[in-house]
Amino acid sequence: MPNQPETSTEAGDVVLRDEDGAIEAGFVARVTSAIEAEDADALRHLVGDLHEADVGDLIEALDPDLRPRLIALLGADFDFTALVEVDDAVREEILEELAPEAVAEGVRDLDSDDAVYILEDLPKDEQDEILEQLPSLDRRALERSLQYPENSAGRRMQSEYVAVPPSWTVGHTIDFLRDNEELPERFFEIHVVDADYKLLGAVALDTLLRTRRPTPVAELMDAGRRRVHATDDLEEVARLFERYNLIAAPVVDDGDRLVGVVTVDDVVDVIEEEAEKDIKALGGVGGDEELSDSVWTIARGRFNWLLVNLATAFLASSVLGLFEGELEKMVALAVLAPIVASQGGNAATQTMTVAVRALATRELHDGNAARIVLREVLVGVVNGLAFAVITGVAAAAWFRTVDLGVVIGLAMICNLVAAALGGILVPLVVERFRLDPAVSSGVFVTTITDVVGFFSFLGIASLWFGLK
């Protein structure tokens, strides 16, 4: 039996997602019809029970002018958590169309980390207008999170957590959890704090439930509980979670006071975002570019790196100008030169991709850099010899001269070794200057392989054939 498409709901004979996981066009059409007819009941029937991630995908599938209307028709039944799941550009467009009162009402019941995620990209005056309409406790918590640096743990932390004094017993703590109606929606441990809210340790929920009631939590707590500072970079927090297999981590301020909790679901989002930024940066694309961006926004974002690439292309072509006379005497050189440069560029991109990712994950550092550089050079030598034979035989057969095969083979070895060195050394140097190697490396590495490829091939050919 074929696999059935994964769905979260069905509306008549229309399923939510197709077999590839995309939102079904038929379902989008049903929702569109309900919005255009302003049929709130039909819309609630179709959308009301969807997971927020499904609602986010549905919003992106709708025409832009229908998105605010969907939220308005659903009213209190719309879960604003869905706006965390959409592209930044889509979310900003929607928030621009909604009244501050509607946004304030929507974020009121969200976890603080989701509320901050929605509010952080709004202009300061709009943030203030929305925050003023929230209860004072909620407002102060969000204002505090918004004051932390962008991409810091303080921005992504949940301000909702469970903390108890060390004098409480297990029984007292469990009774507190049962009777308190304002607990976080999900939590994994109990934090132990002193009278000044300084973090003393934490007790895992499973440990708490396995221990007899009279036991003080101070005897159970892990005093060495790994914690993160509110100003720590999210990439460092993600590495901490990955290294120690954490599910959650307490967040403390400069005075070591507990101010929030970072959970693994937020860390997964961080890892995905950083990986996406690195992939885009390697292609010369801005990390904040989204599929929903306008033509002008995308073109403007890509223009600068294309301009830099154009300048470096002229630099590489100027090498050909140095051998203009040789190229006129031997047309085969003009035909084969791009092959050497192209093969070097591809090899350099392979090395650079591995190097940039290793630098991002801290696997490549001063302690092992020399060994990794030597390894990449040896890889360049091995592949250079292999492709020297392949291209040499092909060139000799094509132009019916063995000498030309020898020349391109020697040039191939030179350029693949240069590609290996450039692919590993350029990211290391860029990192040394505290720049982002994912953004800056590609254009320099490509230039190196083009220049070395052209110069080595045409230089060796000039010497070999006595061209002047």
Side-chain angles (χ1 to χ4, degrees):
M1 179 179 293
N3 293 331
Q4 296 298 315
E6 181 183 349
T7 64
S8 299
T9 188
E10 291 192 9
D13 58 345
V14 180
V15 296
L16 172 62
R17 294 185 182 274
D18 60 24
E19 58 185 11
D20 296 322
I23 297 292
E24 265 286 355
F27 186 81
V28 176
R30 294 281 288 272
V31 172
T32 298
S33 297
I35 295 173
E36 292 176 341
E38 297 189 355
D39 190 343
D41 290 336
L43 191 60
R44 290 190 184 94
H45 174 70
L46 289 167
V47 180
D49 295 329
L50 293 182
H51 188 276
E52 59 265 20
D54 294 326
V55 178
D57 288 344
L58 173 63
I59 288 173
E60 292 185 340
L62 291 171
D63 290 338
D65 62 316
L66 296 178
R67 294 163 181 165
R69 293 171 62 184
L70 176 143
I71 297 173
L73 282 170
L74 288 176
D77 293 324
F78 178 75
D79 185 355
F80 263 66
T81 310
L83 294 185
V84 178
E85 306 291 338
V86 302
D87 286 351
D88 292 347
V90 173
R91 181 170 56 255
E92 290 171 12
E93 289 175 4
I94 292 173
L95 293 176
E96 286 176 1
E97 297 294 328
L98 297 178
E101 297 80 9
V103 179
E105 187 63 32
V107 302
R108 188 189 304 270
D109 297 325
L110 296 183
D111 290 339
S112 57
D113 57 334
D114 291 333
V116 169
Y117 195 84
I118 290 174
L119 296 176
E120 64 181 351
D121 292 328
L122 293 177
K124 186 66 168 62
D125 57 337
E126 292 184 27
Q127 285 183 11
D128 294 339
E129 189 174 358
I130 293 168
L131 290 171
E132 286 174 1
Q133 302 178 53
L134 297 176
S136 59
L137 287 176
D138 295 339
R139 182 176 66 252
R140 286 199 295 271
L142 294 178
E143 287 174 341
R144 180 180 59 188
S145 293
L146 288 168
Q147 288 173 356
Y148 288 115
E150 189 176 0
N151 297 320
S152 67
R155 279 288 184 96
R156 284 292 179 92
M157 70 181 182
Q158 292 183 10
S159 298
E160 303 85 10
Y161 52 82
V162 180
V164 302
S167 59
W168 279 23
T169 64
V170 168
H172 191 173
T173 303
I174 292 176
D175 291 340
F176 168 77
L177 296 177
R178 287 173 176 165
D179 296 336
N180 195 313
E181 296 181 355
E182 297 185 359
L183 295 176
E185 183 176 349
R186 285 189 184 88
F187 58 97
F188 306 97
E189 57 192 8
I190 310 298
H191 300 94
V192 184
V193 296
D194 64 14
D196 295 324
Y197 259 73
K198 287 189 176 182
L199 182 64
L200 302 178
V203 181
L205 282 179
D206 60 317
T207 301
L208 186 78
L209 294 174
R210 289 190 179 111
T211 307
R212 295 187 179 278
R213 292 178 61 88
T215 308
V217 294
E219 295 182 9
L220 301 177
M221 72 177 186
D222 176 11
R225 181 73 173 90
R226 299 191 185 279
R227 62 195 67 185
V228 299
H229 194 276
T231 57
D232 285 350
D233 186 87
L234 285 169
E235 284 193 67
E236 296 297 332
V237 175
R239 273 190 281 274
L240 185 73
F241 270 68
E242 180 185 17
R243 186 178 301 127
Y244 298 109
N245 297 321
L246 302 180
I247 298 176
V251 182
V252 297
D253 63 10
D254 291 331
D256 212 29
R257 292 181 294 268
L258 181 65
V259 293
V261 177
V262 174
T263 54
V264 69
D265 58 319
D266 294 313
V267 170
V268 170
D269 291 338
V270 171
I271 294 172
E272 182 179 2
E273 289 170 8
E274 293 303 324
E276 182 180 351
K277 285 181 181 178
D278 286 346
I279 291 171
K280 289 179 177 178
L282 284 171
V285 178
D288 56 352
E289 180 178 312
E290 304 284 357
L291 287 176
S292 55
D293 287 343
S294 66
V295 171
W296 172 247
T297 300
I298 294 174
R300 185 178 56 189
R302 297 181 185 179
F303 177 84
N304 289 338
W305 274 113
L306 288 175
L307 183 62
V308 172
N309 274 283
L310 179 62
T312 57
F314 273 107
L315 175 62
S317 295
S318 66
V319 176
L320 294 176
L322 298 176
F323 296 91
E324 183 177 357
E326 289 82 349
L327 291 171
E328 288 178 353
K329 295 177 181 178
M330 197 168 184
V331 178
L333 300 181
V335 175
L336 295 176
I339 296 176
V340 180
S342 174
Q343 196 71 359
N346 291 331
T349 299
Q350 291 176 330
T351 303
M352 180 185 66
T353 301
V354 173
V356 167
R357 192 60 192 152
L359 285 169
T361 59
R362 301 294 189 268
E363 294 178 71
L364 179 57
H365 47 77
D366 290 344
N368 64 359
R371 177 171 57 84
I372 300 300
V373 170
L374 177 60
R375 186 198 70 180
E376 291 299 328
V377 169
L378 292 176
V379 170
V381 171
V382 171
N383 279 336
L385 291 170
F387 283 99
V389 174
I390 295 171
T391 54
V393 170
W398 187 357
F399 292 97
R400 295 181 176 83
T401 170
V402 174
D403 286 356
L404 195 56
V406 173
V407 168
I408 196 172
L410 293 173
M412 190 67 73
I413 295 172
C414 292
N415 205 25
L416 262 64
V417 171
L421 279 170
I424 187 73
L425 291 180
V426 169
L428 284 170
V429 171
V430 170
E431 173 84 358
R432 183 72 65 182
F433 283 97
R434 307 223 175 257
L435 300 174
D436 187 349
V439 175
S440 309
S441 299
V443 62
F444 299 118
V445 170
T446 302
T447 303
I448 289 172
T449 55
D450 284 350
V451 169
V452 172
F454 289 142
F455 194 86
S456 61
F457 178 58
L458 296 176
I460 293 172
S462 298
L463 293 173
W464 191 275
F465 294 109
L467 301 174
K468 294 182 180 179

